[in-house]
């Protein structure tokens, strides 16, 4: 019964309330409250602070969230190994990835993985922002660059070469820049990270650094939208090479300023530390590494 109560506790946290969790689990509000009370009695601590309008985790509740996810994941992994054997895997894998990379490169990998493993389910979160992996119960995240959470384990997937590019239609209507400083006269498509807009583009060539403050009428916090605007001829953008490699090879986009390099941003796979990684997650991580690494 403890495992069932732990699962219900996590559902309450995820849904933001006892009533919503009860509806999801098919339980009455009284039953949910009683089982939460049993869990609090078992641990001898208040796990949730409740008002008529909201709930919030106590310090003990936050500790239990991480511990419960770890315990349930380990239990599921043991169950899968015993019931299905080492050749089959089952269960849910939660993962997150940047929007552009996720839609165009990761989803085909996941589709193949799901077809080969009918007992696996995938919960995919596409976002260009950073997420609290532990708090959200995410098993794997694909991310560019250094991460603020140093407690995460990291597996490098590829060197993070970035390119400046534009569509042939844009270049036919505008002067092609030969030097980074000429970008100030161009329409640049800008990426937003939280409250920060990436306006200062930095280049290197022959030991020298060039910083250019660019501008443009289009700004987005979605990397795929930046790419779509660029393909449509609305301006010049910076993209990771892995995101636009096929566009460049097909001639839909043209790389600019090839004599100047941009600071690299490595592509990495990150995952929570501190507990054993479930077998199903390890298998998917290996699949992503073999097919996404370039």
């Amino acid at each position: 019964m403890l495992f069932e109560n732990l699962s219900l506790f996590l559902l309450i946290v995820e849904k933001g309330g006892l009533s919503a969790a009860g509806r999801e689990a098919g339980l009455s509000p009284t039953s949910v409250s009683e089982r939460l009370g049993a869990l609090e009695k078992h641990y001898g601590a208040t796990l949730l602070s409740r008002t008529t309008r909201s709930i919030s985790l106590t310090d003990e509740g936050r500790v239990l969230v991480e511990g419960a996810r770890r315990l349930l994941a380990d239990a599921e992994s043991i169950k899968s190994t015993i019931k299905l054997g080492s050749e089959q895997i089952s269960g849910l894998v939660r993962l997150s990835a940047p929007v552009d990379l996720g839609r165009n490169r990761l989803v085909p990998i996941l589709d193949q993985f799901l077809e080969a493993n009918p007992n696996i389910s995938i919960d995919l979160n596409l976002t260009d922002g950073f997420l609290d992996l532990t708090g959200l119960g995410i098993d794997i995240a694909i991310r560019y660059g250094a991460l603020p959470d140093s407690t995460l384990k990291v597996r490098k997937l590829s060197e993070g070469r970035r390119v400046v590019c534009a569509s042939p239609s844009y270049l036919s209507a505008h002067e092609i820049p030969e030097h980074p400083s000429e970008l100030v006269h161009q329409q640049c498509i800008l990426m937003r990270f939280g409250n920060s807009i990436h306006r200062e583009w930095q280049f290197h060539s022959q030991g020298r650094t060039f910083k250019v403050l660019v501008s443009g009428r289009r700004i987005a916090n979605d990397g795929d939208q930046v790419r779509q605007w660029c393909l449509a001829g609305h301006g010049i953008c910076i993209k990771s090479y892995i995101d636009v490699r096929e566009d460049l090879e097909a001639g839909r986009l043209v790389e600019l300023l090839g004599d100047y390099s941009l600071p690299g941003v490595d592509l990495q796979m990150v995952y929570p530390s501190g507990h054993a990684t479930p077998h199903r997650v390890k298998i998917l991580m290996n699949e992503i590494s073999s097919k996404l690494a370039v």
Side-chain angles (χ1 to χ4, degrees):
M1 190 64 179
L2 177 60
F3 279 17
E4 288 83 353
N5 287 347
L6 287 174
S7 295
L8 180 60
F9 172 65
L10 293 180
L11 186 61
I12 293 170
V13 174
E14 178 184 341
K15 296 299 180 182
L18 277 67
S19 297
R23 287 192 295 272
E24 180 77 13
L27 298 172
S28 68
T30 300
S31 179
V32 174
S33 182
E34 287 176 350
R35 289 176 59 174
L36 176 61
L39 197 61
E40 291 180 326
K41 182 178 180 180
H42 176 82
Y43 287 106
T46 300
L47 303 174
L48 294 173
S49 296
R50 283 163 275 178
T51 69
T52 56
R53 292 174 176 260
S54 65
I55 63 167
S56 61
L57 286 166
T58 63
D59 291 341
E60 293 80 8
R62 279 188 285 273
V63 171
L64 185 59
V65 165
E66 181 175 353
R69 286 192 175 124
R70 181 171 64 248
L71 183 61
L72 292 172
D74 290 345
E76 178 64 28
S77 180
I78 293 171
K79 177 182 176 182
S80 297
T81 301
I82 294 174
K83 186 175 180 180
L84 299 174
S86 59
E87 297 301 317
Q88 294 183 338
I89 55 175
S90 67
L92 174 66
V93 181
R94 294 183 174 91
L95 68 159
S96 175
V99 177
D100 197 350
L101 180 79
R103 286 176 180 163
N104 299 300
R105 297 295 305 279
L106 183 61
V107 165
I109 296 173
L110 297 179
D111 287 341
Q112 292 178 4
F113 187 78
L114 289 169
E115 184 174 353
N117 299 278
N119 296 308
I120 286 289
S121 299
I122 295 291
D123 184 343
L124 178 60
N125 186 323
L126 294 180
T127 176
D128 290 315
F130 294 121
L131 297 175
D132 178 2
L133 303 193
T134 302
L136 294 174
I138 293 175
D139 299 298
I140 313 167
I142 312 298
R143 285 289 176 263
Y144 288 109
L147 300 176
D149 188 346
S150 60
T151 66
L152 298 173
K153 292 182 180 179
V154 177
R155 183 189 295 189
K156 183 176 176 179
L157 295 175
S158 70
E159 298 290 341
R161 181 184 169 220
R162 297 190 298 163
V163 297
V164 178
C165 52
S167 70
S169 62
Y170 177 86
L171 296 176
S172 67
H174 298 80
E175 186 173 346
I176 299 176
E178 301 292 340
H179 188 275
S181 62
E182 297 174 17
L183 290 172
V184 298
H185 305 299
Q186 302 283 345
Q187 278 292 320
C188 293
I189 304 170
L190 307 179
M191 185 74 185
R192 176 189 292 279
F193 299 94
N195 294 323
S196 176
I197 299 174
H198 184 212
R199 296 184 183 276
E200 185 178 83
W201 293 5
Q202 182 173 301
F203 299 84
H204 301 284
S205 179
Q206 299 179 347
R208 297 182 62 190
T209 298
F210 305 89
K211 294 182 179 180
V212 184
L213 194 64
V214 301
S215 61
R217 298 174 58 208
R218 286 174 168 81
I219 303 169
N221 68 341
D222 180 327
D224 191 45
Q225 185 58 58
V226 169
R227 172 174 163 270
Q228 293 299 330
W229 276 337
C230 191
L231 287 167
H234 294 303
I236 297 173
C237 75
I238 290 178
K239 289 292 295 179
S240 291
Y241 175 72
I242 191 173
D243 288 335
V244 294
R245 180 177 62 185
E246 294 179 0
D247 296 321
L248 294 171
E249 292 173 350
R252 293 186 294 268
L253 292 177
V254 177
E255 182 177 354
L256 305 174
L257 301 171
D259 293 334
Y260 302 86
S261 63
L262 294 156
V265 181
D266 290 342
L267 182 65
Q268 302 175 126
M269 184 186 313
V270 298
Y271 52 103
S273 61
H275 60 86
T277 304
H279 183 56
R280 64 183 178 276
V281 176
K282 289 181 180 178
I283 296 297
L284 180 55
M285 288 172 63
N286 292 336
E287 189 78 2
I288 293 172
S289 293
S290 65
K291 294 184 177 180
L292 196 58
V294 293

